[in-house]
């Protein structure tokens, strides 16, 4: 993975990494101003020096007598001429500096500062929206859980309230009877929400301080309104606007009116004497501070009973009026009185609670989806801005280099006598290395790689079948799919195996894993398949192959630590990171490669079986790709660097861990020693689970989807037994049936010894197509001592999840293409080319259902 801004300035809260980056970018803006200040002041100094030199000649001429009285004063005239020439040269230097450096570089600095500020403001606004939605998700989750608890409490109360009378009497007579008690549930979380005033968001405590200061410092009075009476605690719009501009940092009147309107909308102010609720900067517009403001601040509210002539209507409704609002309280009370508007008639309390729980669940689920969408959009915007800022920073460093060069040129072209100074300045500009400085910034100030943090939906009843695939625990996903490896991984690997031959050349086949795919396109595919359900190859056909490969890498990056936490964790758990670090950091000279591989095998054996099986499938895919495309050391290194963050990461990124290469070395060992590591893991798993598998009889399979193919295979086996050269019938692995020979483990293991496997493996080239009649080994094959008939399909070698994984010498190649490095796979043992129809299409990735 290429190191850059887009992969180096990430943090758990997004804002931390961006803060470090934009801090350095703002430092670059200040550096631009320093360079510009130096050039501007040097131009002013050169012009001032030139003017001073120009004044030398006229000043000497004002002295009468002297050299002018006699002829032959050539020395004096020469000195004066040199002074005038020097003055002209220095003025020219000042003009050149302004034209070549100050004016163009000043305009560029302003544009660069605007670009940095715009990017910073845009990302900060996006992060603020994301954080608000995350807070809303936590709030809706709390409401949903509270509703579910109320439903459970109601069900428990129903069980205790409606019992059989005889059972109640028996329970009462029993000395051990316990009196059931009903405990009141905790109230819902009624914590006050933040309030927006203008462009700022304030917490309730901040609002309390602001309102307290306003009520203690602003002018309050009474306002008399005809017919309605006198309103207490009133302030006019002009006083409020003046206070807001002075104390709430409102730079304009329009912005102050926006803050005042927010105070009205949030129920702290109300307009009196006029219709509506608009706020305006006018001394004729009066606003009354409502009871809500006094209740929040705790200040005493000034109230006065209305003194009005007692007419019939007023006397009748006098009790409905409040001192601070003559008519408003009655209107507000009557506006909410609508006894006939009952949306849920005849609804019992239990039904209402269950309905509210369902509604809270839908709100929580919708908020999680919205947060996930906002997170994806934020990450896309961050990557785009980070790449753009990287180009801007590189251009800035190049501009500084060019400015120093132009600055030195403006001086060196005019005054040869300053050549030593110019040489030093040229030496200084040579020390500015844009790429090196950018690399230094990345190495010393990066905060972490791109590791997305997914917020998953947590069902109250622990239902695993949710509408999400990404961000779900690997073992939980595998159990839901009833596979040892999640269906998403096997489907993508199979799709890539089938489409490698469609690419032109080995270079294109290898390159799909190194393409820098835009995150927006990867998120588009992620949204399509992130349903928690299986999907077909038709969905993947709509996307380019590099996008499909990028989606698999994104899935591995978004794996959580376990099913209850959303913290990301790598495929090889971060719990063994320190062990892997110890393996590769040892300096003992007597540690051989076999010992290191053995320690790695025992370390990986600590992982869950789903993680081991998934890692085996991925490593098998890449080792086949490296072998069949004849990849060189450069590509293997680049591929290992790309996959290292997906395979193993430390639990907490730090300045030291970001520069460590242990994950890369682990991936290289997995590529180089895959068979030794995973073969030993399978044998160990067979010995561990064989005893438990023998005690639990396996259920009889009821799959009848391949019944006809199995019957035909059985007939062929019977016919072969009757022939003079009888062979034992073997299962047809091409028809999709599954069988277990000896082990009842989570994934099948080759129980034969390595020596027996090598003796029983077909003696053919690794690039031959199995099953071809032209092949010399077409008559019969033997696997683990069992002979397979001539018509049986070969065992595919795409993943470590097949019944008996074939060794590297029997792997199935890609089909032959007219242009590409894989055409050698369609040659038989004699070297002649086979027909196009005889080559199998792609590689089949098989998986087995889980026993438990």
């Amino acid at each position: 993975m290429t190191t850059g801004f887009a992969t180096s300035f990430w943090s758990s809260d997004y804002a931390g990494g961006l803060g470090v980056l934009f801090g350095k970018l703002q430092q670059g803006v200040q550096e631009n101003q320093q360079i510009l200040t130096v050039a501007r002041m040097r131009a002013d100094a050169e012009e001032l020096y030139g003017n001073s030199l120009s004044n030398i000649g006229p000043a000497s001429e004002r002295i009468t007598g002297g050299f002018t009285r006699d002829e032959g004063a050539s020395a004096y005239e020469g000195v004066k001429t040199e002074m005038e020439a020097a003055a002209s040269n220095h003025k020219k230097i000042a003009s050149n500096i302004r034209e070549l450096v100050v004016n163009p570089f000043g305009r560029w600095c302003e544009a660069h500062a605007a670009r940095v500020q715009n990017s910073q403001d845009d990302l900060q606004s996006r992060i603020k929206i994301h954080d608000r939605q995350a807070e809303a998700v936590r709030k809706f989750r709390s409401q949903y859980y509270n509703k579910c608890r109320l439903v459970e409490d109601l069900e428990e109360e129903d069980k205790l309230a409606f019992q059989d009378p005889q059972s109640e009497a028996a329970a009462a007579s029993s000395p051990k009877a316990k009196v059931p008690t009903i405990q009141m549930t905790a109230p819902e979380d009624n914590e006050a929400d933040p309030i927006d005033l203008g462009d700022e968001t304030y917490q309730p405590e901040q609002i309390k301080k602001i309102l307290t200061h306003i009520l203690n410092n602003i002018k309050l009075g009474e306002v008399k309104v005809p017919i309605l009476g006198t309103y207490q605690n009133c302030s006019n719009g002009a006083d409020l606007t003046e206070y807001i501009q002075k104390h709430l940092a409102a730079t304009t009147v329009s912005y102050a009116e926006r803050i005042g309107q927010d105070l009205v909308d949030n129920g702290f102010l109300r307009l009196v004497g006029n219709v509506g609720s608009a706020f305006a900067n006018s001394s004729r517009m009066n606003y009354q501070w409502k009871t809500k403001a006094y209740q929040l601040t705790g200040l005493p509210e000034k109230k006065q009973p209305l003194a009005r002539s007692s007419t019939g209507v007023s006397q009748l409704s006098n009790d409905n009026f409040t001192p601070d609002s003559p008519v408003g309280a009655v209107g507000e009370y009557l506006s909410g009185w609508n006894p006939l508007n009952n949306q849920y008639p005849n609804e019992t309390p239990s039904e209402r609670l269950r309905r509210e729980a369902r509604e809270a669940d839908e709100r929580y689920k919708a908020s999680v989806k919205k947060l996930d969408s906002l997170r994806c959009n934020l990450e896309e915007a961050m990557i785009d801005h980070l790449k753009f800022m990287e180009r801007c920073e590189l251009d800035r460093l190049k501009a500084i280099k060019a400015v120093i060069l132009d600055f030195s040129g403006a001086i060196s072209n005019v005054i040869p006598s300053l050549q030593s100074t110019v040489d030093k300045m040229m030496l200084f500009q040579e020390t500015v290395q844009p790429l090196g400085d950018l690399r230094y910034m990345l190495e010393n100030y990066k905060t972490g790689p791109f590791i997305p943090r997914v917020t998953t939906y947590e069902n109250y009843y622990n239902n695993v079948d949710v509408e999400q695939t990404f961000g779900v625990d690997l073992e939980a996903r595998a159990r839901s799919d009833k596979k040892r490896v999640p269906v998403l991984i096997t489907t993508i690997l199979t799709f890539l195996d089938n489409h490698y031959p469609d690419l032109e050349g080995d270079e294109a086949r290898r390159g799909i894993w190194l393409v820098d795919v835009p995150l927006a396109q990867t998120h588009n595919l992620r949204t399509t398949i992130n349903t928690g359900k299986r999907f077909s190859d038709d969905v993947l056909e709509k996307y380019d192959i590099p996008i499909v490969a990028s989606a698999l890498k994104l899935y591995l990056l978004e794996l959580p630590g376990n099913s209850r936490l959303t913290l990301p964790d790598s495929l090889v758990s971060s719990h063994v990171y320190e062990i892997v670090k110890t393996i590769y950091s040892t300096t003992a000279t007597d540690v051989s490669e076999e010992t290191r591989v053995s320690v790695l095998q025992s370390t990986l054996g600590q992982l869950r079986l789903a993680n081991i099986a998934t890692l085996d499938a991925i490593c098998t895919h890449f080792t086949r790709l490296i072998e069949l495309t004849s990849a060189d050391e450069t590509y293997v290194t680049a591929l290992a660097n790309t996959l290292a963050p997906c395979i193993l990461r430390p639990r907490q990124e730090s300045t030291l861990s970001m520069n460590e290469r242990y994950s890369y070395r682990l991936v290289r060992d997995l590529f180089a020693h895959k068979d030794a590591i995973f073969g030993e893991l399978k044998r160990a798993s067979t010995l561990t689970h064989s005893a438990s598998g023998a005690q639990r009889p396996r259920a009889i399979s009821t799959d009848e989807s391949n019944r006809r193919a199995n019957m035909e295979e059985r007939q062929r086996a019977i016919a072969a037994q009757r022939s003079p050269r009888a062979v034992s019938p073997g299962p047809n692995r091409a028809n999709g049936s599954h069988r277990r020979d000896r082990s009842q483990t989570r994934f099948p293991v080759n129980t034969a010894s390595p020596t027996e496997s090598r003796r029983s493996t077909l003696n053919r080239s690794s690039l031959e197509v199995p099953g071809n009649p032209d092949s010399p080994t077409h008559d019969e094959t033997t696997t683990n001592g069992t002979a397979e008939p001539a018509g049986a399909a070969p065992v595919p070698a795409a993943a470590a999840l097949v019944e008996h994984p074939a060794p590297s010498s029997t792997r199935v190649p890609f089909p032959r293409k007219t242009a590409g490095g894989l055409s050698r796979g369609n040659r038989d043992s004699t070297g002649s080319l086979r027909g196009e129809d005889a080559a199998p299409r792609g590689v089949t990735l098989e998986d087995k259902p889980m026993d438990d």
Side-chain angles (χ1 to χ4, degrees):
M1 182 180 294
T2 304
T3 303
F5 284 7
T7 59
S8 301
F9 292 97
W10 295 85
S11 58
S12 59
D13 59 346
Y14 296 107
L18 292 180
V20 174
L21 172 62
F22 282 102
K24 296 299 296 180
L25 294 179
Q26 292 294 343
Q27 177 183 340
V29 173
Q30 299 301 322
E31 293 172 358
N32 295 342
Q33 293 299 322
Q34 289 178 330
I35 294 292
L36 192 61
T37 302
V38 170
R40 185 182 292 112
M41 294 188 67
R42 178 60 186 267
D44 296 339
E46 291 289 344
E47 185 175 10
L48 181 62
Y49 185 43
N51 293 332
S52 299
L53 291 177
S54 299
N55 294 331
I56 294 177
S60 65
E61 292 294 337
R62 286 195 296 269
I63 302 175
T64 59
F67 290 105
T68 58
R69 297 183 62 180
D70 299 327
E71 297 180 359
S74 58
Y76 165 74
E77 294 295 335
V79 171
K80 188 175 66 172
T81 302
E82 290 297 326
M83 291 293 180
E84 294 174 355
S88 176
N89 288 335
H90 282 283
K91 290 180 180 179
K92 189 174 182 180
I93 290 175
S95 177
N96 290 343
I97 291 176
R98 290 192 178 97
E99 292 178 1
L100 298 178
V101 178
V102 176
N103 295 334
F105 187 64
R107 292 190 296 267
W108 187 90
C109 288
E110 294 178 358
H112 175 76
R115 288 191 292 268
V116 173
Q117 190 63 39
N118 291 338
S119 294
Q120 185 175 6
D121 294 342
D122 182 64
L123 290 179
Q124 284 180 349
S125 62
R126 291 176 181 271
I127 290 176
K128 182 182 294 185
I129 294 173
H130 174 270
D131 292 343
R132 288 181 183 175
Q133 184 61 28
E135 184 65 27
V137 167
R138 289 190 290 270
K139 181 179 179 181
F140 287 138
R141 178 179 178 272
S142 177
Q143 293 177 356
Y144 167 54
Y145 277 30
N146 289 335
K147 293 295 183 182
C148 291
R149 293 189 187 100
L150 290 176
V151 172
E152 288 183 348
D153 293 341
L154 182 62
E155 292 176 352
E156 292 296 330
E157 293 175 6
D158 292 340
K159 292 179 182 179
L160 295 175
F162 299 98
Q163 293 182 351
D164 184 40
Q166 296 181 357
S167 62
E168 291 181 359
S173 60
S174 174
K176 297 183 180 181
K178 295 182 180 180
V179 179
T181 59
I182 300 177
Q183 183 178 0
M184 299 300 294
T185 57
E188 296 185 10
D189 186 8
N190 293 325
E191 184 180 354
D193 296 332
I195 296 176
D196 294 333
L197 296 182
D199 295 334
E200 300 293 333
T201 300
Y202 300 94
Q203 298 298 326
E205 287 298 327
Q206 296 174 321
I207 291 294
K208 179 180 179 180
K209 294 180 180 179
I210 293 174
L211 292 179
T212 303
H213 190 270
I214 294 176
L215 293 175
N216 288 330
N217 293 276
I218 201 168
K219 181 180 178 182
L220 300 176
E222 298 179 353
V223 175
K224 294 183 179 181
V225 179
I227 301 175
L228 298 180
T230 302
Y231 290 82
Q232 302 290 333
N233 307 320
C234 295
S235 302
N236 60 47
D239 293 340
L240 288 170
T241 302
E242 181 182 358
Y243 176 88
I244 292 172
Q245 286 183 305
K246 183 178 180 180
H247 297 281
L248 296 183
T251 56
T252 61
V253 176
S254 60
Y255 184 64
E257 289 181 342
R258 285 178 53 196
I259 296 178
Q261 186 63 47
D262 289 338
L263 290 174
V264 175
D265 295 339
N266 286 285
F268 299 116
L269 290 174
R270 77 169 119 214
L271 178 63
V272 297
N274 290 279
V275 179
S277 60
F279 183 86
N281 177 26
S282 174
S283 59
R284 297 184 179 181
M285 303 285 284
N286 296 297
Y287 299 89
Q288 182 188 35
W289 291 97
K290 299 177 69 173
T291 306
K292 179 180 179 181
Y294 287 96
Q295 291 177 348
L296 180 62
T297 59
L299 296 176
E301 180 181 6
K302 183 180 180 181
K303 297 183 179 181
Q304 179 179 355
L306 292 178
R308 284 198 274 166
S309 58
S310 57
T311 60
V313 178
S314 62
Q315 186 68 26
L316 180 63
S317 58
N318 189 34
D319 295 335
N320 295 329
F321 294 150
T322 58
D324 60 340
S325 177
V327 223
V330 178
E332 293 176 358
Y333 177 76
L334 294 178
S335 62
W337 182 52
N338 189 5
L340 298 180
N341 186 14
N342 188 4
Q343 188 177 0
Y344 303 96
N346 301 326
E347 187 179 39
T348 63
S350 60
E351 293 174 348
R352 179 179 63 81
L353 286 178
R354 291 184 178 89
R355 173 180 56 80
E356 291 176 353
R358 291 192 301 270
E359 293 174 353
D361 186 16
E362 293 299 325
R363 287 195 302 270
Y364 170 45
K365 187 182 299 183
S367 63
V368 169
K369 291 183 179 179
K370 183 178 179 180
L371 176 61
D372 191 67
S373 177
L374 290 176
R375 181 190 61 82
C376 293
N377 294 334
L378 173 61
E379 292 175 352
E380 295 169 11
M382 285 181 63
I383 286 184
D384 293 338
H385 280 282
L386 291 177
K387 290 182 178 179
F388 178 68
M389 286 295 100
E390 183 176 0
R391 295 195 300 268
C392 291
E393 184 65 12
L394 185 60
D395 292 340
R396 187 188 71 83
L397 296 173
K398 291 180 179 179
I400 290 179
K401 183 180 180 71
V403 163
I404 297 177
L405 184 62
D406 293 339
F407 190 77
S408 61
I411 300 175
S412 62
N413 293 336
V414 178
I415 305 179
S417 62
L418 300 178
Q419 190 62 43
S420 60
T421 303
V422 173
D423 293 339
K424 292 180 180 179
M425 296 177 66
M426 294 294 293
L427 181 60
F428 294 154
Q429 69 90 19
E430 286 293 338
T431 60
V432 178
Q433 300 293 333
L435 293 177
D437 292 345
L438 190 63
R439 188 182 307 110
Y440 172 81
M441 179 180 177
L442 290 172
E443 292 176 355
N444 291 275
Y445 293 96
K446 61 184 179 180
T447 59
F450 170 57
I451 303 297
R453 286 162 172 78
V454 183
T455 302
T456 57
Y457 168 73
E458 301 176 14
N459 190 270
Y460 180 79
Y461 301 100
N462 295 326
N463 185 10
V464 180
D465 190 14
V466 296
E467 298 178 358
Q468 284 181 276
T469 302
F470 286 73
V472 180
D473 180 62
L474 185 70
E475 188 173 19
R477 187 71 267 168
R479 287 182 176 275
S480 179
D481 294 339
K482 298 182 179 180
K483 296 289 183 178
R484 300 181 192 91
V485 179
V487 172
L488 181 139
I489 295 179
T490 56
T491 302
I492 290 180
L493 292 180
T494 305
F495 175 82
L496 294 176
D497 277 331
N498 292 334
H499 285 75
Y500 280 138
D502 298 336
L503 301 176
E504 296 295 334
D506 291 342
E507 187 69 24
R509 300 181 181 102
R510 294 191 297 263
I512 68 169
W513 293 99
L514 305 181
V515 175
D516 187 10
V517 179
L519 187 61
Q521 299 180 9
T522 307
H523 277 164
N524 190 357
L525 176 56
R526 176 187 183 276
T527 304
T528 304
I529 62 179
N530 189 23
T531 59
K533 301 178 179 61
R534 297 173 182 262
F535 56 91
S536 61
D537 290 347
D538 296 337
V539 177
L540 303 179
E541 292 288 351
K542 302 176 183 178
Y543 298 88
D544 295 335
I545 296 181
I547 299 177
V548 179
S550 178
L552 178 59
K553 291 187 288 186
L554 181 63
Y555 175 80
L556 296 177
L557 288 176
E558 292 185 356
L559 286 177
N562 52 58
S563 60
R564 297 298 299 172
L565 298 177
T566 58
L567 296 177
D569 195 5
S570 51
L571 183 59
V572 177
S573 177
S574 58
H575 297 288
V576 301
Y577 181 83
E578 293 298 329
I579 301 178
V580 175
K581 180 179 178 180
T582 304
I583 294 174
Y584 290 110
S585 61
T586 180
T587 57
T589 57
D590 56 345
V591 177
S592 62
E593 183 174 302
E594 291 77 8
T595 304
R596 187 178 74 252
V597 171
S598 176
V599 175
L600 284 177
Q601 179 270 326
S602 62
T603 301
L604 295 178
Q606 303 176 19
L607 303 178
R608 299 179 298 182
L609 295 183
N611 294 58
I612 297 176
T614 302
L615 184 62
D616 188 10
I618 294 175
C619 292
T620 302
H621 180 89
F622 285 110
T623 53
R624 293 189 63 260
L625 177 64
I626 293 171
E627 178 182 355
L628 295 178
T629 59
S630 301
D632 54 6
E633 180 66 20
T634 303
Y635 174 77
V636 176
T637 301
L639 180 62
N641 283 323
T642 301
L643 296 177
C646 305
I647 300 301
L648 176 63
R649 297 188 302 273
R651 181 178 301 178
Q652 293 292 338
E653 287 288 355
S654 61
T655 305
L656 297 177
S657 63
M658 286 186 288
N659 297 322
E660 293 174 348
R661 302 278 293 171
Y662 304 117
S663 302
Y664 161 79
R665 297 182 63 181
L666 173 63
V667 175
R668 291 299 303 265
D669 277 344
L670 290 176
F671 287 168
H673 309 286
K674 183 191 75 68
D675 294 335
I677 293 175
F678 291 102
E680 184 64 25
L681 287 175
K682 293 173 185 177
R683 284 190 290 272
S685 178
T686 302
L687 297 176
T688 303
H689 295 276
S690 58
S692 62
Q695 295 176 2
R696 183 180 60 182
R698 182 184 178 188
I700 301 175
S701 175
T702 58
D703 186 9
E704 296 293 334
S705 58
N706 299 313
R707 179 177 181 182
R708 182 175 180 181
N710 293 334
M711 292 180 62
E712 293 177 356
E713 179 67 21
R714 180 174 178 273
Q715 294 297 330
R716 288 195 297 269
I718 295 175
Q721 289 179 350
R722 295 175 180 175
S723 62
R725 186 181 180 181
V727 295
S728 302
N732 184 8
R733 296 187 180 92
N735 57 17
S737 61
H738 304 292
R739 69 178 178 86
R740 305 273 179 93
D741 290 337
R742 302 177 184 178
S743 175
Q744 298 292 334
T745 60
R746 291 176 179 265
F747 56 93
V749 182
N750 189 355
T751 57
S753 64
T755 306
E756 294 174 352
S757 298
R758 286 193 294 268
R759 289 197 301 266
S760 61
T761 305
L762 295 180
N763 185 16
R764 63 167 182 265
S765 175
S766 62
L767 297 178
E768 291 180 356
V769 179
N772 195 316
D774 297 334
S775 178
T777 60
H778 178 68
D779 294 335
E780 61 179 9
T781 60
T782 305
T783 303
N784 293 337
T786 303
E788 294 183 359
V795 178
L801 304 178
V802 294
E803 281 288 332
H804 300 284
S808 60
S809 61
T810 60
R811 291 174 178 163
V812 181
F814 298 120
R816 178 178 179 270
K817 299 296 289 184
T818 57
L822 298 178
S823 59
R824 62 183 180 275
N826 286 334
R827 298 180 182 273
D828 56 16
S829 61
T830 61
S832 60
L833 289 174
R834 298 174 179 169
E836 188 69 18
D837 55 347
R841 178 65 174 173
V843 179
T844 303
L845 184 67
E846 292 188 3
D847 197 358
K848 300 298 179 182
M850 301 175 66
D851 290 339
D852 43 357

